[in-house]
Amino acid sequence: LGLRYVSFRWDTAVSRRLPGPAPHARTWQHQDILHRGEGETVTTRRAALASPALFLATAAIAQGRWPSQPIRLVVPFAPGGTTDLIARLGQPVIVENRPGAGATLGSQLVAQAAADGHMLVLSNIASHAIAPALYPNLRYDALRDFTHIALLTTNPSVVVANPRSGPDSMAELARRHRERALDMASSGAGSSNHMLIVRLGQLLGRELNHVPFRGAGPAMTAVIGGQVPLMSDSLPSAASHIRQGSVRALAMSSEERHPAFPEVPTLREQGLDLVTSSWFGLSGPARMADAIVERISAEVLGVLAQGDIQARFAEFGGTAGHMNAAEYTAFVAAELARWGPVVRESGAQPD
């Protein structure tokens, strides 16, 4: 099973439709599928190369009966976002964007699919740690109804402000917030950054006004344009805007300052005891065959261990994953236990 990493733009001119997928699905034969998690669409080769890309390069399996049909990768967000996923498989791959309800609609689709390894989902903190507490009628169990295969990436969040009208530090943010409740944007209800805003308001002693958008791109545009003064965003999504000076970075949610942005202090440094990150992994339906799970997990981790992949992640604010199936399953369980009380105690509701 050969591995290599690649980087291409989405290009419908070179795509080939296969019979069967829904109208919103895109299909590639021996092509590369670019997706960025909770946010904007990446449409150029330059953007793909300049992102904290996760490169998964998995050739066709020569022996055995898997895959015996096109593999469907369900991305439970609108096209675009904070984490690039470039998947190259020898079999035809159908990438389906199934956004909605805090990334739960696409996740539910995979939870109900056949456990034959031909439908996988980009599992994440929104769908598998926050949603179970946020949505009372959620139609899947984040542990029981999935086979968790590998952790792909983790990303810290960053609080950014409009450089003209927004505060210039967390101390200034706190002062303004005491006088009048501030608005803060996120990529949508139920996202990790929504929960950061909830937790930040708790620490400040006054609820921040959450302004949800349909993706990180529109939210960032509103902050740059001055319609909203503040935003909580994943660092890979915000990195280019910070470097360009179109927004001001006030704080990182990481344990320590990020090496790509050493001038930006952490929330903890500024007296706010909050450390968190968003994450993305690869999961399938419950009861997948162990042999398939082990094969996918091993190949994914092999790619993630490559030095150039790890360096590119670090440059743009992400960290390559290193958890196999058992470790990732335990991680999801721990994240469920961590975020459930935060969601319930906050009283947050889907917007």
Side-chain angles (χ1 to χ4, degrees):
L1 195 67
L3 290 169
R4 53 184 174 151
Y5 64 90
V6 289
S7 181
F8 285 89
R9 59 173 291 177
W10 268 2
D11 191 345
T12 55
V14 298
S15 66
R16 179 173 70 84
R17 287 282 180 189
L18 294 176
H24 57 270
R26 296 189 179 193
T27 304
W28 283 259
Q29 171 93 29
H30 301 286
Q31 297 296 330
D32 298 287
I33 301 107
L34 171 62
H35 172 71
R36 306 185 69 186
E38 300 167 289
E40 76 254 33
T41 304
V42 177
T43 56
T44 67
R45 179 179 176 83
R46 179 180 178 184
L49 290 169
S51 68
L54 169 64
F55 301 120
L56 301 181
T58 308
I61 295 179
Q63 291 83 25
R65 299 180 61 184
W66 183 91
S68 60
Q69 62 189 61
I71 298 167
R72 298 167 67 188
L73 177 61
V74 175
V75 176
F77 305 104
T82 61
T83 304
D84 292 334
L85 176 63
I86 299 179
R88 184 181 177 94
L89 298 99
Q91 285 283 322
V93 177
I94 302 169
V95 171
E96 295 187 27
N97 291 98
R98 292 293 185 107
T104 64
L105 296 185
S107 301
Q108 178 183 322
L109 178 69
V110 174
Q112 298 172 344
D116 58 8
H118 291 102
M119 179 178 284
L120 304 174
V121 65
L122 191 67
S123 49
N124 58 89
I125 186 173
S127 60
H128 285 74
I130 294 171
L134 188 65
Y135 294 90
N137 298 315
L138 191 63
R139 298 177 65 182
Y140 61 78
D141 184 285
L143 293 174
R144 187 176 60 247
D145 294 331
F146 293 90
T147 299
H148 297 299
I149 299 169
L151 177 68
L152 304 181
T153 180
T154 59
N155 313 301
S157 291
V158 58
V159 176
V160 299
N162 180 284
R164 295 173 298 280
S165 60
D168 59 9
S169 67
M170 290 304 297
E172 174 66 12
L173 184 156
R175 185 191 67 78
R176 292 192 192 184
H177 190 52
R178 286 193 296 269
E179 297 174 356
R180 181 179 179 180
L182 296 176
D183 294 339
M184 184 176 286
S186 83
S187 59
S191 65
S192 59
N193 285 295
H194 176 193
M195 290 301 105
L196 185 147
I197 292 169
V198 169
R199 185 71 183 114
L200 186 58
Q202 293 172 342
L203 294 174
L204 292 171
R206 183 177 189 179
E207 183 179 357
L208 288 155
N209 296 325
H210 177 226
V211 184
F213 284 80
R214 292 182 179 273
M220 183 62 74
T221 297
V223 174
I224 293 172
Q227 289 79 37
V228 184
L230 297 160
M231 179 183 179
S232 174
D233 195 12
S234 293
L235 179 56
S237 176
S240 62
H241 302 289
I242 296 170
R243 290 194 172 102
Q244 293 165 7
S246 52
V247 294
R248 178 187 296 120
L250 305 184
M252 296 284 182
S253 71
S254 47
E255 185 80 35
E256 300 176 348
R257 294 196 183 201
H258 197 281
F261 295 91
E263 73 282 3
V264 182
T266 67
L267 287 166
R268 182 171 282 177
E269 282 182 76
Q270 301 178 77
L272 297 163
D273 190 13
L274 178 57
V275 177
T276 185
S277 62
S278 59
W279 48 266
F280 298 83
L282 193 65
S283 302
R287 297 176 296 279
M288 284 178 58
D290 290 344
I292 294 175
V293 173
E294 291 169 5
R295 191 65 175 270
I296 298 173
S297 179
E299 297 297 347
V300 166
L301 295 180
V303 173
L304 294 175
Q306 296 177 12
D308 50 353
I309 299 300
Q310 295 185 355
R312 184 163 295 182
F313 270 101
E315 179 183 358
F316 288 92
T319 301
H322 54 81
M323 296 182 188
N324 62 23
E327 293 165 336
Y328 183 41
T329 301
F331 174 81
V332 173
E335 287 287 279
L336 270 169
R338 177 188 185 191
W339 285 105
V342 174
V343 176
R344 288 186 288 268
E345 291 169 13
S346 72
Q349 298 292 326
D351 293 307

